């Protein structure tokens, strides 16, 4: 959808500067024993999954303000994902959300192949009512007091697995909004037991080579209590289900001030870390673009992950999970993929042997300075060179804008009018 | 809409117990020199405004699950408000939201009179796009970078005043969602100046006997910065506008851990407290039913207000502002009006002379015990007797359920189907 | 230390009112099928442990302002604990802190017997340096990078067990301040492994009829990361140690907004709840008097505990853990014991069958109203009658003040001068 | 105290690399029209005040673990400050704290001159009791209920001004711990009025060319309410006092999630921003080294300040205010001065004209990318070159370590033993 000639023309204007910056950085890194080409290869090996629904403009309970050329179908969304990957070479897979993305599997596979994409973890949805389902999820789904409603929710998850197996997916992410808005509304212990019981039904239907991700969230849409409110509850869930069950950490689903990288470390210790939903936030589950609010926090998470590379059994699934309310979603997703990649490369620069030495000597000052030195290294030339060599864009956003893609799809896709959020 | 005979029949089953409880409490209070009848009169004098839109089921960005008999028009909503006031005698006014509640003023006045209601502060809406307005508020309203968009937002507020003058309202509440989702998106200083400039235009149009309420909110829908993010910014606004401008405190619009009653005290000191939006919350702006999460906090706010009674120039406007996602909104609003009334009466029980003595002596233990003693007094018989004597229901919720009102309107009003929130 | 005649004289002035209030409440409760005498018996059976060190005035890092008659030795502290229990009949045991409370076991036992006290859980201290220990805990204790320092910390904990066995204690509470002030200062995964390894050494030394409590704390004294920062880490610890290891929940050791009662519910589910450190707080680990800031939260915690009564294997250890900076510690501890007892009795009033019905029907409004109705019941007459019948004081604080105890010990104990905190 | 030959020898090993890095960065910046030498001059012009007491090891209420060579007198502390400035050329002034730093003014001036230092804002202390003062500040100081205690606190502040005038200081910073630990302990309105009344007494004694800084803090040492708890209260204070009164922002004194850079913007708008206390934090007022936890937040604060350069009447006073519990305080203060300087230079790189263009067009994505691009620029060569040209150290920490300064003073200064904090 983005013509190669456009990318090449755009890259041509930036190549010389890139080579100069890359060489200067390479020389500098070499003084600390770092091979820049090795870093570039790490960057090239990086990929994060894009959520199909993230290609549409998001909103809040107050309002949603759609942009031009909103994708109307999963095929539109896959086209947009294709653009993201084409320009960044860092987002080679897509995470589908059922029922929003339901379509004939063969058509989905064909479109994905056309766009050079794979299908990552499947996402079920029991936080909304589905037109074709007889029972409402207003008061819960997998943990509902009513057995039939729970069964309906289990069935939906099994269908997600079924769809996913046809698409080459190998994981199911379960996030539910079940909880309560008032003290006393639910019996929190029995509700958790009902949840676990439903999850066991789903787990039974999980193919041997699949994984099931349990995702916690502190609050919203439930505002007093949530069934899987923190990593402790997620851990209990994964422990009770079995080896194929892992915990998924969404960066925006925590209490204020919480040390997320420590949770990452604990889940690695427990053998239960399964993956991430990347985004950034300042207040609650703000779902802002990854790396735009607290970039050092993102780096510290990656510092744990790079450190843990090679841990037996550690296999991580990385996905973006954001809401784009005031930007072009394609641009935000490209920026986010690159910010995540940036943190990964920066974390890869940490001299772990030196760091371990400082840690052993309790040299807190030099240990923390070691991390900061890696973080403040401007690895942009590494990321640009990785893209350039892959045929992607040195500057994806400006290349995208130069391509006229958004205007083109705006002329092809149906216009969407603004709408209120859920508040009224 | 609720037949008097139903109320009387329900009350008859509870009157004897009420009289016994009222007498026992009266005897107990008399020992500390408190006249229970005087307290009952205070309870009878209490009234809080109901937000018209609160009568509909609310939602989150994830979903909205409507209930049965959702009000379809402002006249339906006023009927529901009438029920709330009829049963509780504690909610005699309604706060309208424009454009949601637009209708012929004479019809609104007629319906209000029929239901025994007055119109409290008007609420403008520039956080959503309006079908009839040419410009979008996606990137702001009163503080937008574009002068024409600001003018449109000013014009809308002036229209709200115009409508309000016809309805007997005497205040305009301005809350805007303007802000930014990313560092750098806006120049925070210039944005605030544009906001103030627009507010001055609105202020010019304010009748002499009106007040303008500036309402702050920490975040949402903007997730990085908000133009009027805290009481300090609201204070600056009210100071720059003039005497008729006051600050409105919404209990759910603060940072975690913030001492809201202290903000109340500071605004009283500054001569700028104008009123409240009551609700309760545990995490963010959860908009839960007043008094259901942290009842002692609600009491402490009222403790400041009762203490400040008689302060020259202090005239407060009290309104509920909540979202009812999992309950019958009429029931939640009745419960909330009564919980706010409860805190008011409890705060009225504080022996302020004794308290001041402990405070002067720095007897922290007895001072705080004095507040707790008032708070733990079960004033339910006072509230019940106030309602009973006013011809309202001793137990409004059970009386409402016995009345069959919801089923009746469900058969008359159009059915509404569930819907997603703003997220997709 | 408090003469019986003083208690009796004080009670005589309050007995008639108490009987009247007790009868009125009894009549009212009987209408909902609650037997007030049964509730009084529950109140009488209640006891919470007092921390020995809580009898001294606490401070902050900025300053400490001692009061008159500060206890100078553990025997003074036990005297003060005796007063608390004598007047409230709700605090029959003491939790010791080693090395602060080191003394000849036979002397401690004799003093405890004299005061009618037992010894509850032992507390070790590896967050301060001990004069008699060669190695510093500046950079950690049980998780220190240095094996000898870890061994020293383990040895100290084993000594605490040894002392405790002589005193009739049956539990050891381990709370450590180990962590880091800066990202990178420690390897969080290896630090946790060292911690677990040390804990296993301690666990080996635990008598069969003892329990080991793992206590988490989000932050302070470490300000970036803490080894046992949340209940998830505490759970992992207890799981790896074995059946005798349980999790202890301190109400003040959580992130802002966290739903603590839900954590309680989860730990009950996991079979790992061991007990509580009660206190209250508004901002961080404020260590304020129990029930003075958010009394409804305390009630909701007890609601979980009362609900879980009878759960196989559930045996809880309750202790107060507070710092008294501006009050007479004896008064604060009496107030706190009674506030905890109050929440326990209020939670006991919940009609659990009715509540379960509302929960099953998703009647959120009535379910939450059911909890609030129990909470707002003024159970003071029940608590007073329980004390009165036990020979304790109807009003412990006023009786204590009337007794002149503080002035008496102030004349006997050495004066302590004010002091700066740890800040300089 | 640090021999020039050591600095020169150390610099010699780093000069060649520095020149190469500086040139490469210069070339790169020139492409965006930035003159690196101009940036270097900005860096050279930067200076932040060091708090005298920060040169000693800090602690928490739990414990304090002193290091080797702790400064015993203000003259030791000035020596340490001299080292900091000598090596970084970024910390040319010292902020004194009375009574801790009391000494003969001529001796202080002589020592300062010897070390090339000036005296910045004076700090009073009424959060601790002073041996020579008859009245205790346990229950407050400037807002105490007792007039004599307030007078004592006022008098102390006037003495600080008097001392400061002799030392060439031109500002007084007033921070008080006054507040309450329990609801009801104080009448919050009257307490604030007493505070303002005392501040007016101090303000009367302020020389014409002095400024008075009002510093807010959300909590600690008071744990329920604090007299100047937020910037709104600080603003009211500065407004009521007069033109010479300004607000001082300590980065660690805010509620969780608060947007501090927005507060900066608002205070600039109000003409009341006076200066900063720099530090970093993750949970509360952690007082960690500046720029070590959320470096992007520090950058965003500086982004506001650089943007406001040239605002009439804006004159800012910058000071570090931290506690160093696990590091060598000299190293932490050097690191902090450089991290603050780094953020200042990074913020100076922002192309404000381009940014304003994106803001006007509501191009949120490019606007935020513009800030991030400046932030991720590794300006280390600029800072190093600024130091090098000033005769300071290219790498201050390693040069300091090479100098043997700490070991030398450790042999000269009295040893300090560890101590508990304020907790017991």
């Amino acid at each position: 959808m983005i013509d190669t000639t456009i990318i090449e023309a755009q890259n041509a204007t930036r190549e010389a500067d890139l080579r100069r910056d890359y060489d200067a950085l390479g020389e500098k890194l070499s003084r600390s024993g770092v091979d820049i080409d090795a870093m570039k290869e790490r960057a090239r090996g990086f990929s994060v999954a894009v959520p199909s629904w993230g290609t549409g403009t998001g909103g809040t309970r107050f309002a949603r303000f759609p942009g031009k050329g909103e994708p109307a179908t999963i095929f539109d969304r896959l086209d947009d994902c294709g653009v993201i990957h084409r320009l960044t070479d860092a987002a080679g897979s897509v995470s589908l959300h059922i029922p929003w993305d339901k379509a004939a599997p063969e058509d989905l596979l064909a479109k994905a192949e056309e766009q050079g994409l794979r299908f990552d973890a499947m996402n079920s949805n029991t936080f909304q009512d589905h037109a074709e389902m007889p029972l409402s999820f207003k008061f819960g789904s997998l943990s509902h007091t009513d057995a039939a409603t729970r069964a309906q929710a289990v069935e939906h998850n099994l269908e997600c697995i079924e769809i996913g197996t046809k698409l080459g997916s190998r994981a199911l992410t379960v996030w539910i909004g079940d909880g309560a808005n008032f003290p006393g509304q639910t019996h929190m212990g029995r509700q958790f037991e009902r949840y676990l019981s439903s999850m066991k039904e789903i787990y039974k239907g999980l193919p041997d080579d699949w994984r099931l991700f349990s995702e916690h969230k502190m609050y919203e849409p439930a505002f007093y209590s949530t069934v899987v409110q923190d990593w402790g509850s997620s851990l209990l869930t994964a422990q009770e289900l079995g080896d194929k069950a892992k915990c998924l950490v969404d960066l925006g689903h925590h209490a204020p001030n919480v040390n997320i990288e420590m949770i990452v470390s604990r889940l690695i210790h427990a053998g239960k870390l399964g993956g991430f939903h990347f985004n950034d936030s300042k207040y609650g589950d703000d779902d802002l673009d990854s790396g735009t609010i607290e970039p050092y926090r993102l780096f510290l998470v990656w510092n744990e992950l790079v450190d843990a590379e090679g841990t037996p059994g550690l296999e991580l699934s990385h996905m973006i999970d954001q809401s784009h309310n005031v930007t072009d979603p394609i641009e935000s997703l490209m920026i986010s993929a690159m910010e995540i990649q940036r943190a990964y490369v920066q974390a890869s620069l940490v001299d772990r042997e030196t760091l371990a030495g400082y840690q052993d000597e309790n040299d807190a000052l030099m240990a923390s300075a070691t991390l900061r030195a890696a973080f403040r290294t401007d690895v942009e030339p590494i990321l640009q060179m990785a893209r350039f060599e892959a045929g992607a864009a040195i500057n994806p956003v400006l290349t995208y804008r130069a391509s006229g893609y958004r205007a083109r799809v705006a002329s092809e896709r149906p216009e969407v009018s603004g709408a209120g959020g859920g508040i009224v």
Side-chain angles (χ1 to χ4, degrees), chain A:
Chain A
M1 307 284 281
I2 303 285
D3 204 80
T4 299
T5 59
I6 291 173
I7 298 176
E8 287 173 353
Q10 285 282 321
N11 282 353
T13 67
R14 299 183 176 96
E15 183 180 347
D17 286 346
L18 168 57
R19 294 203 179 279
R20 188 156 28 190
D21 293 341
Y22 188 82
D23 289 346
L25 178 60
E27 189 277 328
K28 186 172 184 179
L29 290 177
S30 71
R31 283 182 242 147
S32 358
V34 173
D35 175 11
I36 193 171
D37 289 330
M39 286 296 144
K40 185 195 62 193
E41 289 310 310
R42 284 180 71 86
R44 289 204 58 176
F46 172 87
S47 185
V48 66
V50 165
S52 65
W53 64 95
T55 57
T57 298
T60 70
R61 61 175 173 142
F62 293 100
R64 193 170 81 86
F65 300 97
K68 290 191 185 307
E70 291 281 320
T73 68
I74 175 58
F75 301 102
D76 288 350
R77 292 194 277 273
L78 287 171
D79 280 341
D80 291 358
C81 291
V83 169
I84 294 163
H85 186 48
R86 180 77 189 81
L87 292 170
T88 65
D89 194 51
S93 58
V94 178
S95 202
L96 297 183
H97 189 113
I98 304 301
W100 304 338
D101 294 331
K102 260 188 168 175
E106 58 276 18
D107 294 346
L108 291 171
L109 284 167
K111 172 58 81 173
E113 191 176 8
E114 172 195 320
Q115 296 292 351
L117 300 168
R118 286 165 294 106
F119 291 107
D120 207 281
M122 301 297 293
N123 297 272
S124 59
N125 178 338
T126 60
F127 52 86
Q128 292 179 325
D129 281 348
H130 301 216
E132 75 281 11
M133 293 186 191
L135 301 168
S136 170
F137 294 133
K138 179 170 188 168
F139 296 106
S141 58
L142 292 172
S143 78
H144 200 289
T145 50
D146 173 54
T149 310
R150 293 198 301 275
Q152 176 181 284
V154 167
E155 189 53 42
H156 167 67
N157 276 279
L158 293 173
E159 186 197 5
C160 290
I161 296 174
E162 191 190 333
I163 296 172
T165 53
K166 294 179 184 155
L167 298 175
S169 172
R170 281 185 47 234
L172 173 71
T173 298
V174 180
W175 171 71
I176 61 170
D178 294 36
N181 271 9
F182 300 102
Q185 178 182 338
T186 63
H187 186 285
M188 296 191 290
R190 291 199 283 267
Q191 190 182 33
F192 190 53
E193 282 159 18
R194 291 191 298 265
Y195 167 72
L196 290 172
S197 174
S198 295
M199 286 292 274
K200 285 172 188 168
E201 292 301 309
I202 298 169
Y203 191 82
K204 278 187 207 159
L206 204 69
D208 282 350
D209 61 344
W210 273 54
R211 291 187 301 159
L212 187 157
F213 297 140
S214 158
E215 178 179 359
H216 67 274
K217 187 176 201 284
M218 194 201 196
Y219 72 103
E220 194 210 22
F223 289 123
Y224 163 68
S225 66
T226 294
V227 173
V228 189
Q229 87 276 19
D230 57 17
W231 77 271
S233 296
S234 186
L235 174 70
L236 279 176
T237 302
Q239 285 177 336
E240 295 201 19
L241 291 182
D243 284 350
K244 294 183 288 182
K246 304 286 180 184
C247 299
L248 186 142
V249 176
D250 183 298
L251 297 188
H253 290 187
H254 303 265
N257 300 347
V258 158
N259 187 323
I260 299 175
E261 55 270 27
M262 189 142 201
I263 291 173
V264 171
S265 176
R266 290 292 171 272
L267 284 171
I268 291 171
H269 169 89
K272 282 300 187 185
L273 186 65
F276 286 85
H277 275 183
F278 288 107
N279 52 58
D280 213 336
S281 56
K282 184 161 180 65
Y283 301 102
D285 182 29
D286 304 338
D287 271 339
L288 299 178
D289 294 4
S290 300
T292 63
I293 301 293
E294 270 200 62
Y296 194 45
R297 178 169 57 184
L298 182 60
F299 167 83
L300 291 173
V301 165
W302 274 105
N303 180 50
E304 293 302 314
L305 300 183
V306 170
D307 180 85
E309 284 178 4
T311 300
L314 186 65
E315 177 199 348
L316 299 179
S317 183
H318 297 308
M319 192 177 110
I320 297 173
D321 185 9
Q322 302 170 171
S323 188
H324 314 103
N325 303 352
V326 296
T327 56
D328 181 324
I330 289 176
E331 295 187 2
S332 273
L333 285 163
M334 291 195 300
I335 285 283
S336 297
M338 294 186 289
E339 291 298 331
I340 299 165
Q341 186 184 32
R342 184 190 313 281
Y344 164 66
V345 173
Q346 287 170 325
S348 300
L349 291 175
V350 174
D351 181 338
R352 296 194 180 275
E353 200 173 338
T354 300
L355 177 63
Y358 291 136
Q359 290 170 340
D360 285 348
E361 298 157 16
N362 291 302
D363 190 344
L365 190 119
M366 287 305 295
S368 65
T370 300
L371 288 192
R372 283 200 307 281
F375 173 68
R376 75 167 174 256
T377 305
D378 188 353
V379 300
E380 183 67 17
I382 297 175
L383 306 188
Q384 290 184 2
M385 188 61 83
R387 286 194 292 272
F388 179 62
E389 293 187 3
I394 293 177
N395 188 321
V397 169
L398 296 189
T399 304
Y400 166 77
R401 291 189 176 190
S403 78
Y405 176 84
R406 181 59 70 188
R408 194 159 70 247
V409 295
S411 70
E412 297 164 1
R413 297 174 181 172
E415 198 171 340
V416 185
S417 68
I423 200 170
V424 286

